[in-house]
Amino acid sequence: MAIVLALGLEVLWPHEAHGVFWWHHVPGFAIVYGFVGCLALMAGAQWLGRTWLERDVDSHCEEPPCQ
Amino acid sequence: MLHPAGVLLGVALVVALTRGVLQKLVLLLGTGLAVGIVLRLVPGAYGTLAFPLGTLHVLQVDALSVVFALIFSLITCVSVLYALQSGTTSEHVATLVYASAALGVVCAGDWLTLFTCWEVMAVASGFVVWHGGTARSRAAGMRYLLVHMGGGACLLSGIMLHLAQQGSMTLHPLTAGTLPSSAAFWLILLGVGINAAIPPLHAWLPDAYPEASVTGSVFLSVFTTKTAVYVLMRLFPGAEVLVWAGSIMALYGVVYAILADDMRRLLSYHIVSQVGYMVTGVGLGTDLALNGAAAHAFCHILYKALLFMAVGAVIQATGRRTLHDGGGLGRQLPLVCGAYMVAACSISGVPLFNGFISKSMIVSAAVEAHRPFPELLLTLASVGTFLSVGLKLPTMLFGGSDRGGPAHPVPRTMELAMLVNAGLCIGLGLFPHWLYRYLPFQAPYQPYTPEHVISTLQLLLGTGLGFWWCHDRFRRAARVLLDTDWLYRQFAARLFPLLVGGARQVGVRLETWSGDVLHLLRPSLPNPWLVLRIVGWRLWSVGGSAAPASHQRPEVMYNDDRSRLPIGVTILWILVFFVVMALYGLTEEP
């Protein structure tokens, strides 16, 4: 419902096209970019976290000297 | 003309000497007076002082300094109201000195004033971190100070090199002349970049800010990074390296914010991200981009302080500081939840809130400059901002079932400060010209066009759908996040025992040797001539024959009072030196 409303607004609301790049002319690009970007950020961040960045509190020494 | 930094410094002095209701009155009236003085500033150079290396302009006012001085003084007033009931006297003094030094930086017209205020700011903010009052805050404050002293050393080295090359004490853009490839350019950029928290130099920020007190975090979120943005605008407009540094830091911050569990650490990573927008604007260097950077700094200070205020109020009321402990607080703390959501909408760039009128300006400037990748990266950072601050944090903290005991009531002054700040966020969102008239450059901009509004709403909608689809993937678990500070903390952990062990061995050797030498020379210290007699006595002894009576080891004992000058003499010489320097400075023609 919200997607239809947002797309309808874009198509029906009278405004001049000021797009500079090709994606500015694609209707609904921002919805797709937001959706895909959200999933990509969540998946990417969680992969980085699991692989490198996150440690268990118990196994990580907070203050030096750390082992 | 009164210097607003001087006024805040005076307020800090009076606050240190007063207590109770009088102290609270001084805090509110004094910071309000600073706002009034900033509003009456007239462009020009004031407070000119002669100095051996050139003329100092302690108070130099132009459109750029006014917009930063205005928001600094305004947020100091609101934050003092927030801290009125829970802050201690020493914390009030530290925060006022910190705010005063930040105002000193944005009003400085020369290198020496800038550097002096920069360093005072670093020390005062270190004290603010220490007021967290825990072992973690003491350790984080020390790391914070070490990093900032290192940054200050880089800045000072760059300034010295620059003065040696150019000879002018006046601040001016370093991107205009032949400097960009020089060591001075890079050293100054490095010094300022540390304060701007540009990765990988940013780790001090999420390390220290969450460890301060709930009121200290509000002040910390305001000044250090934004003074750095101001200095970048003053010295490095149009530096290409900043376009990429800013775009990457905008994204870097949100990736960490998605993973963060500590609420204030999450918000700290979002400072890194939001400052990335400003740094990109400075790098683009067009009038619209620079206006966008200044406007975004203004709006960011308001909504970020409000975010820290709301989260601080939660910590104050419940003692819970992590998301895995949160849940169900929206019903217990409705006003705090409402204030938080205003700030969350602002930082996410929702139309009718202040983030929309400033963030869209920088993205539009990237589009106008035909820079596709910065536009896409900044838009993706907007997605991450809404995801973590607008959806993840409120869902886990205020939504769901209650996971802890009842919350204590939040002090009235805290609630009032949050209401005032929320009103400012909404007011600027509804009436952007209130802010736009203070912007430093002539670059007309209209935020509420159909394209901007529709594309922003679509972006937020897409992000919301993505979150709704897989929000259960956010884990409720206490985790430690490694960042670039891991490198120097590990390095220090290995270097520390080596240095301490080495220094201890050298110390023992020196102590032994110096003890032997002192023991040998002790009798002769009041009378150096006796050294010859001792040496002669030693030579006679080595020769195996008895020394004559005149060469026997003397029995004169060392006497402190006969052999050393009083320390007062040293202090006298230092005073004489400063008086001569001051007289020289005052008599020099400007």
Side-chain angles (χ1 to χ4, degrees):
Chain A
M1 180 74 177
I3 296 172
V4 172
L5 193 65
L7 285 173
L9 268 178
E10 184 172 16
V11 174
L12 298 177
W13 193 340
H15 62 275
E16 295 175 29
H18 284 302
V20 173
F21 307 119
W22 62 263
W23 53 85
H24 296 151
H25 301 288
V26 178
F29 174 81
I31 294 182
V32 177
Y33 193 68
F35 182 72
V36 174
C38 176
L39 297 185
L41 279 173
M42 282 181 70
Q46 290 186 349
W47 178 78
L48 280 171
R50 274 196 309 273
T51 313
W52 285 317
L53 305 178
E54 286 184 332
R55 295 283 185 276
D56 288 329
V57 176
D58 297 337
S59 67
H60 180 74
C61 172
E62 267 289 295
E63 300 301 331
C66 264
Q67 297 301 323
Chain B
M1 183 170 288
L2 275 174
H3 197 310
V7 172
L8 282 189
L9 214 53
V11 174
L13 186 65
V14 178
V15 164
L17 299 173
T18 52
R19 295 290 182 275
V21 179
L22 182 61
Q23 186 187 61
K24 291 179 170 63
L25 271 176
V26 170
L27 276 165
L28 290 175
L29 295 177
T31 51
L33 176 68
V35 178
I37 287 168
V38 169
L39 284 171
R40 293 177 66 84
L41 284 176
V42 179
Y46 312 95
T48 304
L49 291 173
F51 189 74
L53 292 174
T55 308
L56 304 185
H57 301 290
V58 179
L59 177 57
Q60 182 153 305
V61 182
D62 61 10
L64 181 60
S65 52
V66 164
V67 71
F68 277 85
L70 180 59
I71 187 59
F72 281 175
S73 55
L74 191 63
I75 202 66
T76 302
C77 193
V78 179
S79 303
V80 155
L81 176 63
Y82 181 80
L84 211 56
Q85 287 191 357
S86 57
T88 60
T89 298
S90 59
E91 188 170 24
H92 286 315
V93 171
T95 50
L96 286 171
V97 173
Y98 181 29
S100 163
L103 277 169
V105 170
V106 299
C107 293
D110 64 89
W111 291 104
L112 186 64
T113 308
L114 175 96
F115 178 74
T116 307
C117 294
W118 190 267
E119 290 301 291
V120 173
M121 199 172 65
V123 175
S125 53
F127 276 95
V128 175
V129 177
W130 279 329
H131 273 91
T134 61
R136 287 166 64 102
S137 72
R138 282 190 287 278
M142 183 55 74
R143 286 193 293 273
Y144 174 93
L145 271 180
L146 286 173
V147 171
H148 283 275
M149 291 299 120
C154 290
L155 181 62
L156 181 62
S157 310
I159 291 173
M160 291 298 192
L161 279 174
H162 175 67
L163 288 179
Q165 290 164 0
Q166 304 281 321
S168 168
M169 284 291 282
T170 312
L171 294 177
H172 56 85
L174 299 180
T175 42
T178 55
L179 267 169
S181 59
S182 72
F185 176 92
W186 291 107
L187 279 169
I188 294 172
L189 185 59
L190 183 64
V192 181
I194 287 175
N195 272 28
I198 297 176
L201 311 170
H202 69 289
W204 57 268
L205 194 159
D207 180 29
Y209 284 13
E211 304 306 335
S213 70
V214 293
T215 53
S217 292
V218 175
F219 284 93
L220 288 166
S221 75
V222 172
F223 296 114
T224 302
T225 47
K226 261 59 77 184
T227 47
V229 168
Y230 165 84
V231 175
L232 287 175
M233 290 183 74
R234 181 70 71 191
L235 303 179
F236 300 101
E240 177 64 19
V241 65
L242 293 181
V243 176
W244 295 104
S247 302
I248 290 167
M249 74 190 280
L251 210 52
Y252 188 99
V254 296
V255 168
Y256 268 90
I258 289 169
L259 294 172
D261 180 47
D262 184 304
M263 292 184 286
R264 288 190 291 174
R265 185 154 288 129
L266 187 157
L267 297 180
S268 301
Y269 276 115
H270 266 291
I271 296 179
V272 175
S273 175
Q274 295 295 304
V275 171
Y277 283 85
M278 301 165 214
V279 171
T280 306
V282 177
L284 290 169
T286 62
D287 284 356
L288 181 63
L290 292 172
N291 271 356
H296 201 48
F298 197 102
C299 294
H300 169 78
I301 285 171
L302 289 174
Y303 61 66
K304 184 57 74 177
L306 183 54
L307 285 168
F308 271 98
M309 283 177 182
V311 163
V314 169
I315 296 171
Q316 177 93 357
T318 65
R320 291 178 249 169
R321 53 179 287 171
T322 54
L323 287 176
H324 75 269
D325 285 333
L329 291 172
R331 284 183 293 278
Q332 293 195 54
L333 303 167
L335 191 143
V336 175
C337 177
Y340 177 88
M341 288 317 297
V342 169
C345 289
S346 300
I347 194 174
S348 304
V350 176
L352 306 181
F353 294 88
N354 68 349
F356 176 75
I357 68 160
S358 58
K359 193 188 281 189
S360 65
M361 199 184 275
I362 297 173
V363 178
S364 297
V367 173
E368 271 192 18
H370 289 82
R371 304 298 296 265
F373 291 112
E375 189 220 349
L376 287 173
L377 288 174
L378 294 182
T379 309
L380 188 58
S382 280
V383 171
T385 303
F386 183 49
L387 171 64
S388 50
V389 182
L391 297 170
K392 173 192 159 185
L393 196 150
T395 305
M396 295 176 80
L397 184 64
F398 297 113
S401 57
D402 197 350
R403 297 168 64 88
H408 297 292
V410 176
R412 290 279 174 219
T413 50
M414 278 188 169
E415 291 185 338
L416 187 58
M418 285 189 280
L419 284 176
V420 171
N421 210 345
L424 289 168
C425 288
I426 296 171
L428 285 179
L430 294 174
F431 307 105
H433 61 276
W434 286 357
L435 170 61
Y436 288 173
R437 65 182 168 160
Y438 285 106
L439 295 181
F441 301 101
Q442 290 297 321
Y445 178 71
Q446 174 53 257
Y448 289 109
T449 62
E451 295 90 351
H452 285 154
V453 174
I454 292 170
S455 66
T456 304
L457 289 176
Q458 286 187 349
L459 193 76
L460 297 172
L461 180 64
T463 310
L465 285 172
F467 178 76
W468 173 73
W469 199 39
C470 59
H471 68 278
D472 53 346
R473 294 187 64 180
F474 283 116
R475 286 173 297 166
R476 283 186 182 275
R479 309 283 281 174
V480 172
L481 266 181
L482 302 186
D483 204 338
T484 52
D485 61 334
W486 180 83
L487 294 171
Y488 56 74
R489 288 167 75 165
Q490 286 293 309
F491 180 66
R494 276 150 184 70
L495 189 66
F496 192 67
L498 286 178
L499 287 178
V500 169
R504 190 171 291 152
Q505 281 192 1
V506 170
V508 169
R509 290 278 174 84
L510 280 177
E511 196 178 346
T512 311
W513 291 343
S514 59
D516 290 347
V517 171
L518 197 64
H519 183 75
L520 187 65
L521 297 179
R522 190 177 164 195
S524 64
L525 285 176
N527 182 4
W529 179 246
L530 289 178
V531 173
L532 294 178
R533 287 175 60 188
I534 291 172
V535 171
W537 173 74
R538 277 284 168 123
L539 287 176
W540 280 110
S541 303
V542 171
S545 53
S550 60
H551 289 80
Q552 289 295 328
R553 184 172 185 162
E555 295 301 327
V556 184
M557 298 305 292
Y558 173 68
N559 184 342
D560 284 351
D561 296 332
R562 290 177 57 192
S563 311
R564 290 195 304 210
L565 285 173
I567 196 166
V569 176
T570 312
I571 293 173
L572 179 67
W573 278 114
I574 293 170
L575 280 175
V576 168
F577 174 76
F578 277 115
V579 168
V580 170
M581 286 296 290
L583 287 175
Y584 178 75
L586 289 173
T587 52
E588 188 79 355
E589 287 296 323

